[in-house]
Amino acid sequence: MATTVVPPHAAFFGAKKEIGARSSFSPSISAHRCRKHFLNKVLAVMAPAQPSRAPATTGSVKHGMTMTEKILAKSSDKSKLEPGENIWVNIDVLMTHDVCGPGTIGIFKKEFGKNAKVWDREKIVIIPDHYIFTSDERANRNVDIIRDFALEQNIKYFYDIKDLSNFKVNPDYKGVCHVALAQEGHCRPGEVLLGTDSHTCNAGAFGQFATGIGNTDAGFVMGTGKLLLKVPPTMRFVLDGEMPHYLLAKDLILQIIGEITVAGATYKSMEFVGSTVESLNMEERMTLCNMVVEAGGKNGVVPPDETTFKYLEGKTSVNYEPVYSDESAKFISEYRFDVSKLEPVVAKPHSPDNRALARECKDVKIDRVYIGSCTGGKTEDFMAAAKVFLASGKKVKVPTFLVPATQKVWIDLYSLPVPGSGGKTCSQIFEEAGCDTPASPSCGACLGGPRDTYARMNEPMVCVSTTNRNFPGRMGHKEGQIYLASPYTAAASALTGYVTDPREFLP
Amino acid sequence: MAATQTPVPLFTVRSSSQVFHCPARTHPLHFASNFSKFAKASLSLRQSRIKNLTTPRATPSSSSPPTTFHGQCYVLGDNIDTDQIIPAEHLTLVPSNPNEYRKLGSFSFSGLPTSLYPIPFIQPGTDSTQYPIIIAGANFGCGSSREHAPVALGAAGVRAVVAESYARIFFRNSVATGEVYPIELEQEGVNKQCTTGDIVTVDLERNVFINHTKGKEFVLKPIGDAGPVIDAGGIFAYARKTGMISSVV
């Protein structure tokens, strides 16, 4: 828990240390004042890392376990375990997609034999989503490979697509794997979910252990249903305060990554708690956990509650057992944020931790806006963007690409009324604002992909994007410049043609 | 390279008892491509196209992992992510397919911005590298979980990465595949003291990294928990060895 020690380099949310004096909002407080006002204004506190004590020196382990430790203990049939232990864990769900599926299948067959059967045909979910709407022959072939395997193994959950010219005529096709996993009820509290994709940590929003693995590990799980995992220590992020109407979960996670850097959570679990987190809906919680990997994190977790259970109603018939961190659990560090004092932020090129206030980037001219991906292409993300366009009533100044994550999201865009719009749908508002027509659901240009991918950056340009990474070349061109942002900020930027704080439009 | 330098063998010839043990993949084409790389080491440092002399990647009957790596190094900064290691457009190549494995290797590090890294990792027109050892800063391999990253490096002829620190999925994938040996340095900033093209040795027995060109020596961190998995030859071999899965396929 929080200590009374505030190190001189205590993290200050919102204000960068060097520009603290200029900021017009409150958290421009020096370390000295922070120590003095510590009890009244907790900005961010980092508990010094607890040195781990070998059990032999302390007798029985006297502290409780964190959520992540508990889930892993349960899944490895252990009553207790400590961070740092390497354990064999039973896997509840294994996910793979069209990019890593073929490689995983290749390894599975090589190691277990070409006639081997997967460990459980109901626990593997195969979701083509990455390179779908393309004429690239190898990409198309890769979907064929995973189809052949799904048929051969009688895989229960294979979200197939055959007709690439019209996604709507493919009844099984879903779209982006992480959103599909959630929407189809494969994410459940207390379980262990592994996927051949780094953003598998997205599912931690459901209070489960979810992380990304490579083809070899996945091939191993395919045959055995187990994997050797190292128990991570947990970093706790306490987010309290009423969420300002111009902030979204994306702002929160960009704030955090900017605080701890892209390696700040390497080999660690990130646990998100606090009143703000409790107020978030499931899609916002997913956005939070989705980018845990961008801080190097192994997994992210949000304690399950009524919001979680309500979301799961009707989606899954599998019984689940939520777990929660013990009162006496040990965390390796703790950060506290007063969310009511935060401002919209972006991650400037070329790193997700290159944090800056959106309003301080208002002179950055942009060439396009991209709203999509597992991180920022869910229904709530589009609703948020629509709110900004609605509030403005004007047209966008730059090409604005919209890529719904899944078929369900696409349908929502065309059917759900946007609050305060007098019954208009997102799609109508987007059309009136001059955005591109919402595209076929897939990962799209988030990671570039084959050259003919919709909205791929094929020339150097500046893009504001609701996606998750902005390393050089991420969306296609090596000299492209990507500003990661929330859907509010992305929509606001589309309206001005510059990186724009959404408060310019939101009342 | 200075003409007055004593020509140094660019690669040590591995004796048959010291081959790198990797997951028990029986991949005839894979082994063939490695054995064909067993060319004579060029003793002339002025030669620009140096043949890759590498150890065979795996032999089912061998028992001990390698203890040294030697050759030219390619130097990188911090936070080299998987998109720079292998751009996403090449992920349609399936690593377990022998032909596509090699092609994957030819695209290694093609994502590096040329303004920061003007020396190409792979000479145009070739599909493997003359730099068997990578020296990098912090958080090497961050980003995606794509196993294509360590696989592409291995396919291109990289034997070891010596970095300040690693992103966890890349480290894990390196260990699981046996494609590259992921080694960590004790101190920071070593990459800033090295230049692409320096002749280096990585000695895992003494846990030192030697830059012969610069005349400097650095301490390596012991491999840690991944040791038993690497020594066994990857996750599958380790699981068979410890009885987690049967050896009979």
Side-chain angles (χ1 to χ4, degrees), chain A residues 131 141 216-217 228 230 478, chain B residues 88 100 110 112 147 172:
Chain A
Y131 301 157
R141 172 210 61 179
T216 302
D217 279 338
L228 186 66
K230 188 164 172 168
K478 279 203 269 196
Chain B
E100 300 189 9
S110 56
L112 291 174
E147 203 167 84
R172 226 197 129 89

Side-chain angles (χ1 to χ4, degrees), chain A residues 156-190:
Chain A
K156 185 170 179 184
Y157 303 106
F158 171 53
Y159 301 130
D160 196 6
I161 179 164
K162 288 194 171 101
D163 187 341
L164 306 180
S165 66
N166 183 1
F167 71 89
K168 288 170 250 172
V169 307
N170 299 278
D172 295 330
Y173 181 67
K174 307 293 171 201
V176 176
C177 58
H178 308 301
V179 184
L181 281 172
Q183 291 178 331
E184 301 308 309
H186 296 297
C187 303
R188 290 172 290 261

Side-chain angles (χ1 to χ4, degrees), chain A residues 86 111-112 131 138 141-142 197-198 211 214-217 224 228 230 267 447 451 469 471 474 478, chain B residues 81 83 88-89 92-94 100 110-112 143-145 147 168 172-173 177 225 239-240 244-245 249:
Chain A
N86 288 289
E111 297 292 344
F112 294 102
Y131 301 157
R138 268 203 305 263
R141 172 210 61 179
N142 289 345
D197 193 86
S198 60
T211 194
N215 298 355
T216 302
D217 279 338
T224 63
L228 186 66
K230 188 164 172 168
Y267 279 106
L447 73 162
R451 293 282 159 130
R469 287 203 269 267
F471 294 113
R474 173 68 179 172
K478 279 203 269 196
Chain B
D81 78 297
D83 277 296
E89 65 186 299
T92 49
L93 296 163
V94 177
E100 300 189 9
S110 56
L112 291 174
S144 169
S145 65
E147 203 167 84
R168 57 158 285 269
R172 226 197 129 89
N173 286 344
T177 56
D225 286 349
R240 288 192 177 99
M244 182 45 83
I245 58 179
V249 165

Side-chain angles (χ1 to χ4, degrees), chain B residues 140-157:
Chain B
F140 184 80
C142 58
S144 169
S145 65
R146 66 189 71 155
E147 203 167 84
H148 304 68
V151 169
L153 295 181

